[in-house]
Amino acid sequence: MTSVTVPAAAERAPAPRRAPKEPGSWRKVLITASFLAPALIMLGAFVLYPIVYTVFRSFFGREDGQFVGFENYVTMFTNDTTFTAIRNNVIWVIVAPAACTILGLIFAVLLEKLKWKTAFKLIIFMPMAISMLAAGVIFRGMFQESPQLGVVNAVISGVQNAFGDTGGYPGAKPRDGFGVIADGGVIASEQEIQAGQTQDFPLTGVRQDNVPAGAAEAAPAPSASDTQITGTVFLDVVRGGGGTQGEIGDGKSGLPDMRVDAVGPDGSVHGFATTGADGTFTIDGLESGQSYTIALPASNFEEGAQGVSWLSSSFINAVIILSYIWIWAGFAMVMIASGLSAMDRSLQEAARMDGATEWQVFTRITAPLLAPVLIVVFVTLIINVLKIFDLVYVIPPGASKPAANVIAVEMWTVSFGGGANQGLGSALAILLLILVLPSMIMNVRRFREEAKR
């Protein structure tokens, strides 16, 4: 056999040489680093460091050196106020983003059907130009309980007063010592009055703004026949003072539109009348010689429609969520409208040609094609409501603040609003971060998927 001799030079083949670096490679690295450095420094100073320090601080108590471990987290989930805040945040996440997204979708579809779409878009989007603080002040004023202050209750009271019986003289009471007494809300004659006699009602306690504009100066009642009882109901007060108490005189106003009943001994109403502009009344059809108690029913003095306590604990969350929807529905409309403008309309036209109804076109084609935009809007609003602070802090009055509490407000309260416990506040901040992270990650993934397409 012949052996093959391998040359020694072949056995020691040199390793492949690395390609020499380009002369300017290090310079490119330095330029890139110099551009990234400011952003990385700011990111670390304003994002990374606060997160790390907040996690660290959450394991300490009121004082920096008081290590308490997980006690703040235990307190956070066993404290009633924190539980209320978490419950309210859940309500916010369920209601507000869905309502804004649905309204935004409806508005965006309506935009395509309206001729005055620019004005409509401006009206719906305009609240976005108002700060949350200013919007909170607006809604707190609108929903005041007093109809004289709150627009909403003023409208409700106006409608109720227009279609229902309301008392026009709340707070009225009889002048003492002139044969008229108050009994259980009713103002009546102290003694029984026979048919053919006169009974006047001098009243006090009526606010001048409750006296109708058409009221005239009080006048003496006409003489009564044998089957009548007459009298005058008047405000026994003269502006600026003067006049004789219990007597009709100059400067005293009659009280119109007040019901006056003649009540018999059996307690039933035998006749009634309504006072005129000058306060006079005449009850007809009574039995001659019969005695009656002349009474002003309590319905004359009821407060009437006073609206709803919107800012009470029962309704405060609904009012705040409504204010949020008012602001952010315009954002959802603009985002969804941009998605509609980029949609391929040929699919919709083909479906209509095949006989599909508008509802079928919307549910089978428009909505599925808009699904990516709807998800982005919905997730963005979830992140936003989890951090809601301004509206919840401004709108509720002091008595309703506990019922409207959310995590962000609770975090600020326990840290800086009198609680002075920044350890517990830091734990609440970490809880809020954990709740927001899934939505943020979902949005980032959605953006990456859209970038790959």
Side-chain angles (χ1 to χ4, degrees), residues 189 191-201 221-232 260-264 270-275 279-295:
S189 58
Q191 304 294 331
E192 291 186 345
I193 306 299
Q194 287 188 349
Q197 295 181 337
T198 297
Q199 174 64 55
D200 293 332
F201 288 87
S223 300
S225 67
D226 292 342
T227 58
Q228 295 178 336
I229 292 178
T230 62
T232 303
V260 186
D261 292 340
V263 182
H270 289 248
F272 68 91
T274 303
T275 58
T280 59
F281 65 89
T282 300
I283 303 176
D284 292 311
L286 303 177
E287 294 183 20
S288 177
Q290 180 67 43
S291 296
Y292 301 92
T293 299
I294 308 303

Side-chain angles (χ1 to χ4, degrees), residues 46-47 126 186 239 262 269 296 298 311 340 364 399 409 413 421:
F46 295 106
V47 178
M126 189 179 295
V186 176
R239 279 191 174 185
V269 177
L296 305 178
L311 300 182
L340 276 173
R364 304 285 180 85
V409 175
T413 303
N421 190 347

Side-chain angles (χ1 to χ4, degrees), residues 43-225:
L43 187 66
F46 295 106
V47 178
L48 185 60
Y49 172 74
I51 292 175
V52 173
Y53 181 75
T54 302
V55 174
F56 172 78
R57 187 67 178 84
S58 67
F59 294 105
F60 290 82
R62 294 179 182 272
E63 304 296 333
D64 289 344
Q66 182 186 1
F67 182 79
V68 296
F70 289 94
E71 183 179 333
N72 287 323
Y73 292 92
V74 174
T75 302
M76 180 174 64
F77 287 105
T78 56
N79 191 4
D80 290 339
T81 57
T82 307
F83 180 79
T84 302
I86 295 173
R87 182 200 63 191
N88 288 340
N89 268 106
V90 171
I91 295 173
W92 272 87
V93 169
I94 293 174
V95 176
C100 287
T101 305
I102 292 172
L103 283 176
L105 177 61
I106 294 172
F107 292 152
V109 173
L110 284 177
L111 278 176
E112 299 186 335
K113 309 294 183 180
L114 297 175
K115 295 182 179 179
W116 42 283
K117 60 177 63 178
T118 302
F120 181 80
K121 187 183 296 185
L122 178 64
I123 293 171
I124 301 299
F125 191 75
M126 189 179 295
M128 284 292 296
I130 304 174
S131 70
M132 300 280 271
L133 180 63
V137 173
I138 292 171
F139 267 74
R140 179 163 179 170
M142 287 176 56
F143 285 89
Q144 288 289 334
E145 183 174 357
S146 172
Q148 283 74 35
L149 300 175
V151 175
V152 176
N153 278 338
V155 173
I156 293 174
S157 299
V159 172
Q160 290 177 339
N161 291 336
F163 295 98
D165 295 329
T166 58
Y169 304 100
K173 54 186 178 182
R175 176 76 72 180
D176 294 334
F178 293 95
V180 181
I181 59 173
D183 183 16
V186 176
I187 297 178
S189 58
E190 190 172 5
Q191 304 294 331
E192 291 186 345
I193 306 299
Q194 287 188 349
Q197 295 181 337
T198 297
Q199 174 64 55
D200 293 332
F201 288 87
L203 303 182
T204 62
V206 179
R207 297 192 302 268
Q208 288 292 339
D209 56 355
N210 284 335
V211 178
E217 189 172 287
S223 300
S225 67

